[in-house]
């Protein structure tokens, strides 16, 4: 390299030219928590409903429990103006997005929106392809805090390129926005998206059932146990700022309470984003109790940010462990079967080792207190065999704290 080239390179670096763009590093240090319109309302979104959902998030205690993002999914779009700027449907959102963002912010919450890396969204509204920087600027101006970015209508589009372009556009626009990637795991985003998104969907859409595969005619969506099985092998890719996303919650959308409880517990074990998908204006006490269980949420939100793992599987009973800060552990006995399952867990004979993150719980050397996170009480110590009955499609979830 000549002296002149070195000088030009130096000036370029100084000006930020050629310096690799970044995502907002300070965001999503624990899995994002919020709400999204799609699971319950699909295309039926409007300003009044979003305002009421924000109210519901506060009034139900969900905000106090940590839920923050109110995300409008597909179908909010009106069109593009003559200069290419996107605008919302004026019938659905008569006061526009800025006013809605102001309202959501006035509640101490944040507003999320949805777009797509292709020419059109999955429901056929304008996509961001070719408009990435312009859309990012518009979102920043409206006061948007979260972008879910989908993958329909992307024929011949390179996923790393497309998601990096929107990452760069958001960063350039300057407003910190959580970037939620939604390409359904089709291109193994866990292998390349750590520096691009704050979370990435690992599967197709969730469906409101325990163990089913729902045929939409051309594509499938998946019940809770199916989605859990699809997380196999992915935990090493997750951590603070970059999470595996097994899709939004179906709690409160019609499954029995035990299934909702198991679903929520397992999402916490997976360090999954906790994005509620039900109608927050109309919740049963049971639904509120599940969504706001602070001790289960604390497992999800643990600052180590390590996704849990399946330790053993015997008949229909799986035992999951998740390392937590301060040498604590979460344990979840997860009964997938139709009959109750008996737990007889003799800690002294178990060696729980997390090979990937280099952590281990040696129950022979350390005694832990055992707290049941649904009963919300201490139920014993690891000196004694732990016995419990796990009802069908349910969990017993524990937190182990070492006794010093
Ligand atoms: C895809 C996504 C869903 C939802 C819809 C909207 O199917 O995976 O989560 O955003 O599009 O059309």
């Amino acid at each position: 390299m000549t002296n002149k080239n070195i000088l030009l390179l130096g000036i370029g670096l100084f000006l930020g030219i050629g310096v690799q763009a970044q995502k907002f590093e300070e965001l999503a240090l624990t899995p994002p928590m919020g709400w999204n319109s799609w699971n319950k309302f699909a295309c039926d979104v409007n300003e009044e409903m979003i305002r009421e959902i924000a109210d519901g998030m506060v009034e139900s205690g969900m905000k106090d429990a940590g839920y923050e993002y109110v995300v409008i999914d597909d179908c909010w779009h009106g069109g593009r103006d003559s200069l290419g700027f996107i605008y919302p449907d004026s019938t659905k959102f008569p006061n526009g997005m800025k006013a809605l963002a102001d309202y959501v912010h006035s509640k101490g919450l944040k507003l999320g929106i949805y777009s797509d890396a292709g020419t059109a969204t999955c429901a056929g509204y304008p996509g961001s392809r070719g408009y990435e920087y312009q859309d990012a600027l518009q979102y920043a101006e409206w006061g948007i805090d979260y972008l879910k970015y989908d993958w329909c209508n992307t024929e011949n589009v390179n996923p790393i390129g497309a998601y990096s372009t929107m990452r760069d556009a958001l960063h350039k626009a300057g407003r910190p926005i959580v970037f939620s990637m939604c390409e359904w795991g089709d291109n193994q985003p866990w292998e390349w998206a750590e520096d691009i998104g704050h979370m990435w969907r690992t599967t197709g859409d969730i469906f409101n059932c325990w163990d089913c595969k729902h045929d939409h005619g051309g594509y499938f969506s998946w019940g809770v146990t199916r989605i859990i099985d699809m997380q196999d092998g992915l935990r090493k890719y997750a951590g603070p700022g970059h999470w595996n996303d097994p899709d939004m919650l179906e709690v409160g959308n019609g499954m029995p309470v035990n299934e909702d409880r198991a679903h929520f517990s397992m999402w916490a074990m997976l360090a999954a984003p906790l994005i509620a998908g039900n109608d927050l204006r109309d919740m049963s006490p049971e639904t509120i109790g599940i969504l706001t269980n602070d001790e289960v949420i604390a497992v999800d939100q643990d600052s180590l940010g390590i996704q849990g793992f399946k330790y053993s599987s015997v008949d229909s009973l799986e035992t999951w462990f998740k390392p937590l800060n301060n040498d604590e552990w979460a344990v979840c006995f997860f009964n997938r079967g139709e009959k109750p399952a008996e737990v007889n867990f003799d800690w002294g004979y178990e060696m729980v080792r997390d090979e990937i993150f280099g952590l281990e719980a040696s129950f022979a050397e350390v005694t832990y207190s055992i707290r049941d996170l649904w009963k919300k009480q201490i139920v014993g110590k690891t000196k004694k065999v732990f016995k419990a009955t796990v009802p069908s499609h349910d969990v017993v979830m524990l937190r182990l704290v070492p006794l010093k």
Side-chain angles (χ1 to χ4, degrees):
M1 207 185 269
T2 63
N3 284 346
K4 191 176 158 213
N5 282 348
I6 290 171
L7 182 69
L8 286 175
L9 180 68
I11 293 170
L13 286 173
F14 178 72
L15 294 173
I17 300 165
V19 175
Q20 209 200 341
Q22 289 173 345
K23 69 177 193 183
F24 291 102
E25 294 292 348
E26 71 282 12
L27 296 178
L29 298 180
T30 59
M33 292 175 67
W35 173 90
N36 173 297
S37 53
W38 186 254
N39 283 358
K40 176 74 184 177
F41 298 98
C43 264
D44 193 9
V45 289
N46 64 72
E47 178 179 332
E48 194 185 348
M49 184 260 273
I50 298 294
R51 285 176 185 245
E52 289 171 4
I53 291 287
D55 297 345
M57 192 178 273
V58 175
E59 284 156 20
S60 63
M62 286 178 67
K63 175 177 180 254
D64 287 342
Y67 295 83
E68 187 177 20
Y69 295 98
V70 176
V71 183
I72 313 165
D73 206 283
D74 207 345
C75 310
W76 59 267
H77 320 69
R80 293 191 182 279
D81 68 15
S82 59
L83 295 174
F85 285 99
I86 191 84
Y87 56 83
D89 181 311
S90 61
T91 311
K92 294 176 181 169
F93 296 89
N95 296 296
M97 284 298 170
K98 175 108 182 59
L100 185 53
D102 288 347
Y103 183 77
V104 170
H105 293 154
S106 78
K107 297 251 142 188
L109 300 169
K110 294 185 167 157
L111 187 64
I113 213 166
Y114 162 101
S115 189
D116 188 289
T119 47
T121 71
C122 296
Y125 292 87
S128 287
R129 186 170 182 199
Y131 294 91
E132 292 89 348
Y133 281 73
Q134 199 172 0
D135 285 353
L137 273 178
Q138 184 65 81
Y139 304 152
E141 193 188 297
W142 284 339
I144 299 296
D145 307 291
Y146 181 114
L147 175 66
K148 173 174 169 182
Y149 204 49
D150 215 336
W151 190 240
C152 281
N153 305 301
T154 51
E155 289 70 28
N156 302 319
V157 178
N158 174 303
I160 303 181
Y163 281 96
S164 303
T165 299
M166 189 44 110
R167 181 266 323 260
D168 294 351
L170 294 171
H171 200 259
K172 190 91 185 175
R175 181 178 175 87
I177 289 184
V178 169
F179 191 30
S180 162
M181 299 171 42
C182 178
E183 58 71 82
W184 320 304
D186 282 5
N187 304 280
Q188 295 75 47
W190 42 86
E191 288 176 358
W192 46 265
E194 177 174 342
D195 296 327
I196 299 175
H198 298 101
M199 53 198 266
W200 49 77
R201 281 275 296 279
T202 54
T203 68
D205 290 1
I206 195 168
F207 198 73
N208 189 23
C209 66
W210 182 250
D211 177 21
C212 71
K213 177 178 175 183
H214 185 78
D215 189 350
H216 294 268
Y219 73 100
F220 296 102
S221 55
W222 309 93
V224 167
T225 62
R226 304 290 183 105
I227 297 237
I228 292 169
D229 290 342
M230 291 179 215
Q231 309 310 309
D232 195 28
L234 302 186
R235 63 186 295 266
K236 68 176 177 213
Y237 299 103
H242 51 99
W243 308 101
N244 289 315
D245 175 10
D247 204 3
M248 303 167 300
L249 297 165
E250 289 282 15
V251 174
N253 277 342
M255 284 190 290
V257 174
N258 53 309
E259 294 182 358
D260 274 356
R261 180 168 45 236
H263 167 31
F264 192 70
S265 302
M266 287 304 296
W267 260 233
M269 292 301 286
L270 291 168
L274 297 178
I275 309 294
N278 58 315
D279 188 348
L280 305 191
R281 302 169 301 183
D282 179 22
M283 291 192 274
S284 68
E286 290 80 10
T287 295
I288 295 179
I290 291 170
L291 289 173
T292 63
N293 183 322
D294 53 341
E295 301 194 34
V296 173
I297 291 172
V299 168
D300 180 78
Q301 295 288 302
D302 183 79
S303 61
L304 274 189
I306 297 182
Q307 183 173 330
F309 57 93
K310 194 196 299 177
Y311 172 71
S312 66
S313 175
V314 180
D315 300 327
S316 71
L317 184 70
E318 294 181 358
T319 302
W320 287 67
F321 276 80
K322 180 183 194 285
L324 305 176
N325 202 1
N326 292 325
D327 301 321
E328 299 181 16
W329 291 82
V331 189
C332 191
F333 299 103
F334 172 46
N335 181 6
R336 305 169 61 128
E338 305 306 316
K339 296 197 198 103
E342 297 304 322
V343 174
N344 270 292
F345 202 81
D346 194 349
W347 309 93
Y349 287 95
E350 310 285 345
M351 173 60 84
V352 175
R353 196 177 277 139
D354 179 347
E355 303 284 357
I356 292 172
F357 293 95
L359 296 164
E360 97 182 15
S362 172
F363 299 111
E365 283 151 32
V366 183
T367 302
Y368 297 77
S369 70
I370 305 173
R371 187 170 171 86
D372 185 312
L373 303 187
W374 288 106
K375 286 186 184 156
K376 297 201 163 190
Q377 64 191 37
I378 301 281
V379 292
K381 292 182 190 159
T382 53
K383 281 255 178 272
K384 255 175 75 181
V385 176
F386 179 76
K387 289 178 190 291
T389 303
V390 190
S392 165
H393 298 186
D394 208 335
V395 292
V396 167
M397 188 170 177
L398 310 173
R399 187 180 186 105
L400 308 180
V401 177
L403 295 167
K404 300 264 158 69

